[in-house]
Amino acid sequence: MRRLVLFALLTAAVPGCFYPADRGRALEAKVDRLGADNAKMATELKEARDQLAATQPKIDEKIAQVTQALQSLDTAARRKDADIGVQFQKTVEDLAQLRGQVETYLYKIAELESALGKSTEETNQRLLALQGTEAVKEAEAKKKAEELQRPTDKKEFLALAQEKAKAGDALVARQLYNEFVKKWPKDALVGEAHFGLGETYFTESKCREALFEYGKVVQDFAKTASAPDAYLRSSDCFQKLKMKEESKLALEELVKSYPKSDAAKTAKTKLVELDKKAAPAPKKGKK
């Protein structure tokens, strides 16, 4: 029962997102305006593409007519040269006009695509700025992670994430760990990825987020190598959150579930220290 209580505490430690009401409404209004502008440009781009698609068959038809006219010159030789020249000239002019329309559509499409891309980038930058420095950092980390060469082997992929975490690049490591979880959701190494995610949050003192990841480890991947350390880290997180009883419970569950682990030895030492702090001070004898 105590273990179930601990699981509930760990997995329920999901952070909330808090925004002042006025700032939230202002953000929503700006997002709506930016979204409307992008939607308008996207509609114009679609219309230009539709016009191009409608014009292309006419060009093909004219090209076919010119080709047929050229191939049947011998048959048409009995007609007057002037009539043939007029018909051929008209066909060429029609074709040139259609080609001019196509070039206009292509130019317009290129301009719209460029404007839409620029507007989308500006919109994203403004949204990130409105959301704060954390969102900007996350976006930069995502872009940096996208530039990395991904190993196809799952162990090498996990090792890359661990390497980035060890180098202090927690945000990039977090991107890689999340990718690993999505790519190999049923693999045994997913437990290590969740522990790694917890560590990236722990290094930033985001204990609630870290507890959620550690909770995934101890509940769903109890046999993974980092499970004992997940209990130990959970205890540290609870301690930072001033949840002393839960912190002690995590240590006790660690010792009970993984008695021979190195983490259990550390847990035993911490439990002794906690007991000493909890013990009442000896009363001084009367003089």
Side-chain angles (χ1 to χ4, degrees):
M1 176 61 72
R2 295 178 67 190
R3 188 172 184 176
L4 290 175
V5 171
L6 180 61
F7 286 162
L9 287 167
L10 289 170
T11 54
V14 184
C17 180
F18 301 96
Y19 251 152
D22 293 341
R23 187 178 177 186
R25 285 191 290 270
L27 175 60
E28 289 177 1
K30 289 182 180 180
V31 170
D32 289 342
R33 288 197 296 272
L34 292 169
D37 291 342
N38 286 352
K40 183 180 179 181
M41 280 191 289
T43 300
E44 291 177 359
L45 180 59
K46 183 178 182 301
E47 289 175 354
R49 284 176 172 160
D50 290 343
Q51 288 173 338
L52 177 60
T55 305
Q56 192 65 46
K58 296 179 181 179
I59 294 176
D60 294 338
E61 182 181 352
K62 282 296 179 182
I63 290 173
Q65 289 177 3
V66 171
T67 303
Q68 184 179 1
L70 291 172
Q71 290 175 346
S72 60
L73 280 176
D74 290 339
T75 305
R78 286 171 291 180
R79 297 174 59 186
K80 292 182 180 180
D81 292 341
D83 292 340
I84 295 173
V86 170
Q87 183 180 4
F88 185 77
Q89 184 62 31
K90 186 177 184 306
T91 302
V92 170
E93 289 174 357
D94 289 345
L95 183 59
Q97 183 180 4
L98 288 170
R99 281 178 174 168
Q101 290 179 10
V102 169
E103 289 176 0
T104 301
Y105 293 147
L106 289 174
Y107 179 77
K108 186 176 181 180
I109 287 173
E111 279 194 325
L112 287 170
E113 286 178 336
S114 177
L116 184 59
K118 184 178 179 181
S119 176
T120 301
E121 180 65 22
E122 290 178 353
T123 299
N124 292 336
Q125 291 297 326
R126 289 178 186 177
L127 287 175
L128 289 172
L130 289 168
Q131 291 168 10
T133 55
E134 281 295 317
V136 174
K137 289 179 180 179
E138 289 285 350
E140 290 175 350
K142 184 177 181 181
K143 185 176 180 181
K144 188 175 179 181
E146 288 173 351
E147 295 172 353
L148 289 174
Q149 184 67 36
R150 303 291 199 278
T152 55
D153 180 77
K154 58 187 177 183
K155 291 183 179 179
E156 292 179 3
F157 195 108
L158 184 62
L160 176 62
Q162 293 169 336
E163 177 187 332
K164 292 297 178 183
K166 189 176 181 180
D169 208 343
L171 293 177
V172 173
R174 192 176 301 156
Q175 292 287 337
L176 294 172
Y177 281 129
N178 278 318
E179 284 183 34
F180 185 96
V181 171
K182 292 177 181 178
K183 195 168 185 178
W184 293 285
K186 297 182 180 179
D187 193 89
L189 289 174
V190 170
E192 292 300 309
H194 279 295
F195 180 77
L197 280 168
E199 292 291 88
T200 65
Y201 289 119
F202 186 83
T203 58
E204 296 176 346
S205 297
K206 295 180 178 179
C207 285
R208 295 188 181 278
E209 293 91 334
L211 279 169
F212 178 79
E213 299 299 337
Y214 295 143
K216 293 290 290 183
V217 177
V218 300
Q219 185 172 13
D220 300 332
F221 305 95
K223 293 183 179 180
T224 195
S226 296
D229 291 318
Y231 271 112
L232 198 59
R233 286 297 205 202
S234 297
S235 175
D236 293 338
C237 284
F238 282 130
Q239 191 70 30
K240 289 183 178 183
L241 293 171
K242 309 299 182 184
M243 300 170 70
K244 295 181 179 179
E245 289 298 321
E246 290 79 3
S247 177
K248 184 177 180 181
L249 176 58
L251 294 175
E252 290 173 345
E253 286 298 330
L254 167 55
V255 173
K256 180 181 177 181
S257 302
Y258 307 93
K260 297 181 180 180
S261 66
D262 291 337
K265 295 177 183 177
T266 304
K268 290 176 183 178
T269 302
K270 289 190 173 187
L271 284 169
V272 171
E273 293 173 355
L274 289 174
D275 289 338
K276 286 181 180 179
K277 291 180 181 179
K283 295 181 180 179
K284 294 182 180 180
K286 293 182 180 180
K287 293 183 178 180

